[in-house]
Amino acid sequence: MNNENADVTTDKPKRIHDQAPSELFSNFMKSGWAPSDLSNIEPLEVVTYAYSRRQVLSAAYKGIRLVLPAGGFKVRANDSDYNYRPHSAYVYYSGVQGADATADAVLVLEPSGDSHITYLYMNPRSTRDTDAFYRDAKYGELWVGRRFTLDEAQARYQINTRHLNELEALLADGKETLTLRNVDPAVDPKVKKHDREDEFATFVSEQRLCKDEYELREMQAAVDATALGFNDVIHAMPAAVETPRGERVLDGAFYGRARILGNDLGYNTIVGAGSHACVLHWIRNDGDVRRGELVLVDAGVEVESFYTADITRTLPVDGKFSPAQRALYMLVYESQLAGFAAIKPGVLFSEINKACQEVLAKGLADMGVLTVSAEESMKPEIGLHRRWTLHGVSHHLGLDVHDCAQARKEQYLDAPLREGMVLTVEPGLYIQPDDELFAPEYRGIGIRIEDDVVVTADGCRNISENIPRHPDEIEKWMQGILGK
Ligand code: GLY
Ligand code: MN
Ligand code: MN
């Protein structure tokens, strides 16, 4: 489908058919429409939470204007963009979600006395009194659908709204301003460099380390949707075996669920059948799925509020583990139990990794593949077991799959755990197909088990507990779906 009209945001004819409308046509298009503003819009539940989050930010940056861009469309090819997804800090402080999140919006916290007043600068609905609603392929209502008016958005999110075209003048007034740089190339040049910019990025990342009640509910919803996605993956297993590049069948099955129940995937799904499971970020997903092998699926649904799950299950294609597969699986399973047991407030984040790795190192030593003892291997300067474990076993999870990524080491890796943190626990073992240190029946097996937990007052709660994990439970689960 081609836009035969000009892109009115730039006024440049973009395509060969672009042409300005005649006055007669323009007037004709602008007339004869019934009023269609939405009334009775209720504020969303997130409003009070987003308000509290902004209060924390405001208190830390008194007297400074704070500019949080949502970011724009990202080009996929030529004039096709990826599905829009706003920046996570913008989502966190505005609460804006689902299709309400429109490209190029900017949240501004304007200093006022000891606090700030918040404004949402946005591209409102293209009303019928301009040409945009039928001419603008990027934002026009007849091209991409209706957006909120300024009043409607204000009613939904309880934030003062302003037209985006007023932002430039605001930012030109020379007031001391901080922004998150590299989110919106249209905003960056309008905000002078500030020596506290990196600190600001760190602050907004660290504020998300502990989740509020609303976030915990949304993350549970993301996990529950992901659980259904894994059911769909199992349903699709016979078709995946029958179809060339069967990994794509499983990838597609999960994606369908993510689009039905959520906004999208939280990250690219990993489907590694057979030895592809030994490639940590195997997102090509173009391999065959063969009977007798395992398939590792690492996937998460991102719900409408933009929170994501991050779950891995390693499934036997036939629904039954071989003895070698089960032996390795149980080692990873025991390692994950040790990881869960290590988690409680006050314990260092790094202890989760240590607890998981100790079990794996001991298991590998017992199998006779380590040339040093498990204790020796656990010394940071030795670490031979890491040939088969490859990655750390935990990260923060939330709006971003690797959440709080700008947090300082002393607040993340070297920090004590706190109640309300949401973390993954994801040990794995990966025996490459050409690894001669292992007996042939183990080669080419990759296993990861990944669950999402919330730190509680005295330990942790596995919010993905309902997705079967133990090999016996997995076999029963698959039997229940595949009927074998
Ligand atoms: N899916 C990416 C990760 O597990 O960290
Ligand atoms: Mn993960
Ligand atoms: Mn994962």
Side-chain angles (χ1 to χ4, degrees):
M1 196 168 24
N2 227 339
N3 176 10
E4 38 175 82
N5 303 303
D7 178 340
V8 296
T9 55
T10 61
D11 264 347
K12 270 190 294 189
K14 283 221 162 155
R15 299 175 189 81
I16 200 155
H17 303 298
D18 288 349
Q19 51 177 287
S22 68
E23 204 181 328
L24 180 68
F25 182 66
S26 173
N27 289 337
F28 186 61
M29 285 303 285
K30 287 177 194 159
S31 62
W33 307 103
S36 57
D37 278 7
L38 303 174
S39 53
N40 303 325
I41 292 188
E42 295 293 330
L44 291 182
E45 188 201 357
V46 71
V47 160
T48 52
Y49 294 93
Y51 176 81
S52 303
R53 299 167 194 165
R54 292 196 298 272
Q55 294 302 104
V56 173
L57 190 61
S58 170
Y61 292 96
K62 286 191 177 124
I64 306 179
R65 175 185 292 150
L66 306 174
V67 174
L68 298 157
F73 289 108
K74 293 188 171 65
V75 174
R76 181 175 186 278
N78 186 27
D79 59 353
S80 301
D81 297 319
Y82 289 103
N83 287 341
Y84 182 66
R85 204 286 193 178
H87 191 271
S88 295
Y90 167 84
V91 172
Y92 184 71
Y93 293 109
S94 69
V96 173
Q97 49 193 254
D100 299 351
T102 55
D104 309 327
V106 180
L107 192 74
V108 177
L109 276 67
E110 192 63 22
S112 168
D114 238 12
S115 176
H116 289 77
I117 300 176
T118 307
Y119 296 91
L120 178 56
Y121 286 79
M122 58 174 283
N123 216 333
R125 169 178 192 206
S126 47
T127 48
R128 300 285 199 258
D129 53 348
T130 70
D131 290 311
F133 78 93
Y134 69 93
R135 288 189 68 202
D136 187 339
K138 208 151 190 155
Y139 300 99
E141 200 158 305
L142 301 196
W143 283 90
V144 295
R146 192 187 190 286
R147 293 185 305 280
F148 279 147
T149 63
L150 295 178
D151 287 346
E152 290 163 357
Q154 186 157 334
R156 175 82 92 199
Y157 291 101
Q158 302 289 299
I159 298 172
N160 306 294
T161 47
R162 295 282 182 270
H163 198 294
L164 187 59
N165 62 19
E166 294 174 27
L167 183 65
E168 184 156 6
L170 179 89
L171 297 181
D173 68 1
K175 195 179 269 185
E176 184 181 10
T177 302
L178 275 167
T179 190
L180 287 183
R181 216 160 272 282
N182 302 320
V183 178
D184 186 340
V187 170
D188 282 352
K190 294 175 187 132
V191 179
K192 233 176 74 192
K193 277 268 181 200
H194 194 296
D195 58 9
R196 293 181 71 188
E197 247 168 46
D198 289 347
E199 173 219 299
F200 181 54
T202 296
F203 188 95
V204 302
S205 205
E206 290 179 357
Q207 200 186 328
R208 303 205 319 253
L209 283 165
C210 291
K211 273 55 184 176
D212 59 37
E213 280 170 35
Y214 173 84
E215 293 183 288
L216 294 178
R217 282 198 296 276
E218 289 302 306
M219 296 195 70
Q220 185 68 63
V223 165
D224 293 346
T226 298
L228 295 176
F230 273 93
N231 283 346
D232 296 342
V233 164
I234 295 173
H235 273 287
M237 202 66 89
V241 171
E242 295 304 318
T243 311
R245 304 204 303 172
E247 290 173 354
R248 288 284 166 90
V249 174
L250 305 183
D251 182 347
F254 190 86
Y255 182 61
R257 182 60 60 174
R259 291 293 281 168
I260 292 163
L261 289 183
N263 174 61
D264 210 319
L265 301 167
Y267 53 93
N268 291 325
T269 299
I270 296 167
V271 181
S275 62
H276 289 162
C278 301
V279 182
L280 296 180
H281 286 173
W282 179 259
I283 57 169
R284 278 163 45 182
N285 302 347
D286 61 356
D288 293 336
V289 175
R290 294 183 199 85
R291 295 205 165 86
E293 293 186 335
L294 298 176
V295 57
L296 181 156
V297 181
D298 183 343
V301 172
E302 178 186 82
V303 287
E304 293 286 311
S305 53
F306 303 117
Y307 288 86
T308 190
D310 181 12
I311 307 284
T312 305
R313 288 293 180 265
T314 307
L315 308 168
V317 172
D318 286 330
K320 200 127 189 69
F321 288 90
S322 74
Q325 290 165 349
R326 186 178 268 259
L328 278 183
Y329 191 101
M330 282 310 293
L331 188 45
V332 179
Y333 181 84
E334 296 294 340
S335 163
Q336 198 197 28
L337 291 183
F340 293 146
I343 298 175
K344 62 174 182 225
V347 167
L348 294 182
F349 175 86
S350 52
E351 288 296 317
I352 310 170
N353 194 46
K354 193 158 160 252
C356 289
Q357 299 287 349
E358 270 170 1
V359 173
L360 295 175
K362 174 155 191 327
L364 290 163
D366 290 348
M367 293 180 92
V369 292
L370 275 182
T371 53
V372 297
S373 69
E375 293 71 32
E376 278 291 296
S377 195
M378 281 302 291
K379 291 181 182 162
E381 68 279 15
I382 297 184
L384 298 192
H385 62 283
R386 299 206 316 256
R387 173 180 173 117
W388 299 288
T389 66
L390 295 178
H391 57 82
V393 306
S394 186
H395 56 81
H396 282 262
L397 179 70
L399 285 165
D400 292 325
V401 62
H402 298 148
D403 212 34
C404 314
Q406 262 84 47
R408 289 162 294 172
K409 195 161 176 277
E410 61 268 31
Q411 291 297 320
Y412 191 145
L413 292 177
D414 296 341
L417 300 175
R418 285 183 280 150
E419 196 174 347
M421 287 178 163
V422 176
L423 309 165
T424 64
V425 184
E426 50 175 309
L429 273 181
Y430 311 92
I431 320 299
Q432 303 300 325
D434 54 347
D435 192 334
E436 293 188 332
L437 300 190
F438 262 91
E441 65 269 30
Y442 293 104
R443 293 180 199 161
I445 296 179
I447 293 164
R448 177 162 66 255
I449 315 173
E450 178 172 26
D451 284 81
D452 303 338
V453 306
V454 53
V455 182
T456 58
D458 55 2
C460 74
R461 182 162 47 82
N462 181 357
I463 61 174
S464 44
E465 180 66 31
N466 289 339
I467 308 176
R469 245 179 33 250
H470 188 278
D472 293 344
E473 290 170 8
I474 287 180
E475 288 179 353
K476 225 163 93 192
W477 178 32
M478 293 185 71
Q479 226 170 53
I481 292 177
L482 299 175
K484 277 189 239 153

PDB file of all heavy atoms in Angstrom, residues 267 270 281 298 310 312 395 401-402 426 448 450, ligand 1:
ATOM      1  N   TYR A 267      12.101 -10.139  24.171  1.00  0.00           N
ATOM      2  CA  TYR A 267      13.423 -10.257  23.522  1.00  0.00           C
ATOM      3  C   TYR A 267      13.278 -11.338  22.458  1.00  0.00           C
ATOM      4  O   TYR A 267      12.275 -12.069  22.439  1.00  0.00           O
ATOM      5  CB  TYR A 267      14.514 -10.639  24.540  1.00  0.00           C
ATOM      6  CG  TYR A 267      14.172 -11.872  25.340  1.00  0.00           C
ATOM      7  CD1 TYR A 267      14.590 -13.144  24.922  1.00  0.00           C
ATOM      8  CD2 TYR A 267      13.404 -11.789  26.496  1.00  0.00           C
ATOM      9  CE1 TYR A 267      14.259 -14.278  25.644  1.00  0.00           C
ATOM     10  CE2 TYR A 267      13.065 -12.920  27.221  1.00  0.00           C
ATOM     11  CZ  TYR A 267      13.490 -14.158  26.785  1.00  0.00           C
ATOM     12  OH  TYR A 267      13.139 -15.299  27.495  1.00  0.00           O
ATOM     13  N   ILE A 270      14.876 -17.658  21.730  1.00  0.00           N
ATOM     14  CA  ILE A 270      15.944 -18.607  21.399  1.00  0.00           C
ATOM     15  C   ILE A 270      15.311 -19.991  21.313  1.00  0.00           C
ATOM     16  O   ILE A 270      14.682 -20.447  22.275  1.00  0.00           O
ATOM     17  CB  ILE A 270      17.026 -18.605  22.503  1.00  0.00           C
ATOM     18  CG1 ILE A 270      17.710 -17.225  22.574  1.00  0.00           C
ATOM     19  CG2 ILE A 270      18.043 -19.729  22.282  1.00  0.00           C
ATOM     20  CD1 ILE A 270      18.563 -17.023  23.831  1.00  0.00           C
ATOM     21  N   HIS A 281      23.162 -17.509  22.392  1.00  0.00           N
ATOM     22  CA  HIS A 281      22.146 -16.629  21.805  1.00  0.00           C
ATOM     23  C   HIS A 281      21.768 -17.117  20.409  1.00  0.00           C
ATOM     24  O   HIS A 281      21.914 -16.398  19.418  1.00  0.00           O
ATOM     25  CB  HIS A 281      22.643 -15.173  21.764  1.00  0.00           C
ATOM     26  CG  HIS A 281      22.629 -14.534  23.119  1.00  0.00           C
ATOM     27  ND1 HIS A 281      23.158 -13.301  23.374  1.00  0.00           N
ATOM     28  CD2 HIS A 281      22.130 -14.959  24.302  1.00  0.00           C
ATOM     29  CE1 HIS A 281      23.006 -12.995  24.656  1.00  0.00           C
ATOM     30  NE2 HIS A 281      22.380 -13.997  25.246  1.00  0.00           N
ATOM     31  N   ASP A 298      14.093 -20.391  25.090  1.00  0.00           N
ATOM     32  CA  ASP A 298      14.249 -19.267  26.024  1.00  0.00           C
ATOM     33  C   ASP A 298      13.366 -18.145  25.480  1.00  0.00           C
ATOM     34  O   ASP A 298      13.644 -17.597  24.405  1.00  0.00           O
ATOM     35  CB  ASP A 298      15.727 -18.846  26.055  1.00  0.00           C
ATOM     36  CG  ASP A 298      16.005 -17.726  27.060  1.00  0.00           C
ATOM     37  OD1 ASP A 298      15.054 -17.051  27.505  1.00  0.00           O
ATOM     38  OD2 ASP A 298      17.193 -17.526  27.376  1.00  0.00           O
ATOM     39  N   ASP A 310      11.155 -13.909  31.448  1.00  0.00           N
ATOM     40  CA  ASP A 310      12.368 -14.447  30.827  1.00  0.00           C
ATOM     41  C   ASP A 310      12.528 -15.881  31.331  1.00  0.00           C
ATOM     42  O   ASP A 310      13.065 -16.095  32.417  1.00  0.00           O
ATOM     43  CB  ASP A 310      13.576 -13.573  31.210  1.00  0.00           C
ATOM     44  CG  ASP A 310      14.872 -14.058  30.584  1.00  0.00           C
ATOM     45  OD1 ASP A 310      14.821 -14.917  29.680  1.00  0.00           O
ATOM     46  OD2 ASP A 310      15.945 -13.571  31.003  1.00  0.00           O
ATOM     47  N   THR A 312      13.362 -20.127  30.532  1.00  0.00           N
ATOM     48  CA  THR A 312      13.917 -21.162  29.648  1.00  0.00           C
ATOM     49  C   THR A 312      13.467 -22.536  30.120  1.00  0.00           C
ATOM     50  O   THR A 312      13.521 -22.831  31.324  1.00  0.00           O
ATOM     51  CB  THR A 312      15.458 -21.132  29.653  1.00  0.00           C
ATOM     52  OG1 THR A 312      15.900 -19.814  29.319  1.00  0.00           O
ATOM     53  CG2 THR A 312      16.025 -22.117  28.632  1.00  0.00           C
ATOM     54  N   HIS A 395      20.142 -12.180  36.544  1.00  0.00           N
ATOM     55  CA  HIS A 395      20.119 -10.740  36.244  1.00  0.00           C
ATOM     56  C   HIS A 395      18.782 -10.185  36.700  1.00  0.00           C
ATOM     57  O   HIS A 395      17.828 -10.942  36.921  1.00  0.00           O
ATOM     58  CB  HIS A 395      20.349 -10.482  34.744  1.00  0.00           C
ATOM     59  CG  HIS A 395      19.391 -11.182  33.824  1.00  0.00           C
ATOM     60  ND1 HIS A 395      18.132 -10.710  33.541  1.00  0.00           N
ATOM     61  CD2 HIS A 395      19.510 -12.350  33.123  1.00  0.00           C
ATOM     62  CE1 HIS A 395      17.527 -11.536  32.701  1.00  0.00           C
ATOM     63  NE2 HIS A 395      18.332 -12.558  32.437  1.00  0.00           N
ATOM     64  N   VAL A 401      14.541  -6.828  29.658  1.00  0.00           N
ATOM     65  CA  VAL A 401      14.879  -8.209  30.056  1.00  0.00           C
ATOM     66  C   VAL A 401      16.144  -8.204  30.910  1.00  0.00           C
ATOM     67  O   VAL A 401      16.216  -8.928  31.903  1.00  0.00           O
ATOM     68  CB  VAL A 401      14.968  -9.150  28.836  1.00  0.00           C
ATOM     69  CG1 VAL A 401      16.052  -8.749  27.858  1.00  0.00           C
ATOM     70  CG2 VAL A 401      15.193 -10.571  29.305  1.00  0.00           C
ATOM     71  N   HIS A 402      17.126  -7.413  30.544  1.00  0.00           N
ATOM     72  CA  HIS A 402      18.280  -7.200  31.425  1.00  0.00           C
ATOM     73  C   HIS A 402      18.059  -5.835  32.068  1.00  0.00           C
ATOM     74  O   HIS A 402      18.568  -4.816  31.604  1.00  0.00           O
ATOM     75  CB  HIS A 402      19.590  -7.287  30.644  1.00  0.00           C
ATOM     76  CG  HIS A 402      19.799  -8.646  30.034  1.00  0.00           C
ATOM     77  ND1 HIS A 402      20.458  -8.864  28.862  1.00  0.00           N
ATOM     78  CD2 HIS A 402      19.394  -9.867  30.450  1.00  0.00           C
ATOM     79  CE1 HIS A 402      20.459 -10.171  28.585  1.00  0.00           C
ATOM     80  NE2 HIS A 402      19.813 -10.790  29.539  1.00  0.00           N
ATOM     81  N   GLU A 426      19.189 -18.929  36.336  1.00  0.00           N
ATOM     82  CA  GLU A 426      19.259 -19.630  35.055  1.00  0.00           C
ATOM     83  C   GLU A 426      20.584 -20.350  34.798  1.00  0.00           C
ATOM     84  O   GLU A 426      21.325 -20.005  33.877  1.00  0.00           O
ATOM     85  CB  GLU A 426      18.981 -18.642  33.916  1.00  0.00           C
ATOM     86  CG  GLU A 426      19.797 -17.350  33.968  1.00  0.00           C
ATOM     87  CD  GLU A 426      19.543 -16.478  32.735  1.00  0.00           C
ATOM     88  OE1 GLU A 426      19.649 -16.988  31.622  1.00  0.00           O
ATOM     89  OE2 GLU A 426      19.241 -15.283  32.912  1.00  0.00           O
ATOM     90  N   ARG A 448      19.532 -25.459  29.769  1.00  0.00           N
ATOM     91  CA  ARG A 448      19.386 -24.319  30.688  1.00  0.00           C
ATOM     92  C   ARG A 448      17.987 -24.399  31.279  1.00  0.00           C
ATOM     93  O   ARG A 448      17.035 -24.788  30.594  1.00  0.00           O
ATOM     94  CB  ARG A 448      19.580 -22.989  29.941  1.00  0.00           C
ATOM     95  CG  ARG A 448      19.372 -21.761  30.833  1.00  0.00           C
ATOM     96  CD  ARG A 448      19.973 -20.460  30.254  1.00  0.00           C
ATOM     97  NE  ARG A 448      19.339 -20.004  29.042  1.00  0.00           N
ATOM     98  CZ  ARG A 448      19.853 -20.104  27.825  1.00  0.00           C
ATOM     99  NH1 ARG A 448      21.039 -20.679  27.667  1.00  0.00           N
ATOM    100  NH2 ARG A 448      19.217 -19.663  26.759  1.00  0.00           N
ATOM    101  N   GLU A 450      15.570 -21.767  33.395  1.00  0.00           N
ATOM    102  CA  GLU A 450      15.520 -20.364  33.822  1.00  0.00           C
ATOM    103  C   GLU A 450      14.147 -20.036  34.390  1.00  0.00           C
ATOM    104  O   GLU A 450      13.126 -20.235  33.720  1.00  0.00           O
ATOM    105  CB  GLU A 450      15.810 -19.440  32.624  1.00  0.00           C
ATOM    106  CG  GLU A 450      15.724 -17.957  32.970  1.00  0.00           C
ATOM    107  CD  GLU A 450      16.186 -17.043  31.841  1.00  0.00           C
ATOM    108  OE1 GLU A 450      16.115 -17.455  30.666  1.00  0.00           O
ATOM    109  OE2 GLU A 450      16.609 -15.913  32.148  1.00  0.00           O
TER     110      GLU A 450
HETATM  111  N1  GLY B   1      16.970 -14.444  27.367  1.00  0.00           N
HETATM  112  C1  GLY B   1      18.112 -13.754  27.742  1.00  0.00           C
HETATM  113  C2  GLY B   1      18.577 -14.152  29.069  1.00  0.00           C
HETATM  114  O1  GLY B   1      18.204 -15.203  29.544  1.00  0.00           O
HETATM  115  O2  GLY B   1      19.291 -13.451  29.727  1.00  0.00           O
END
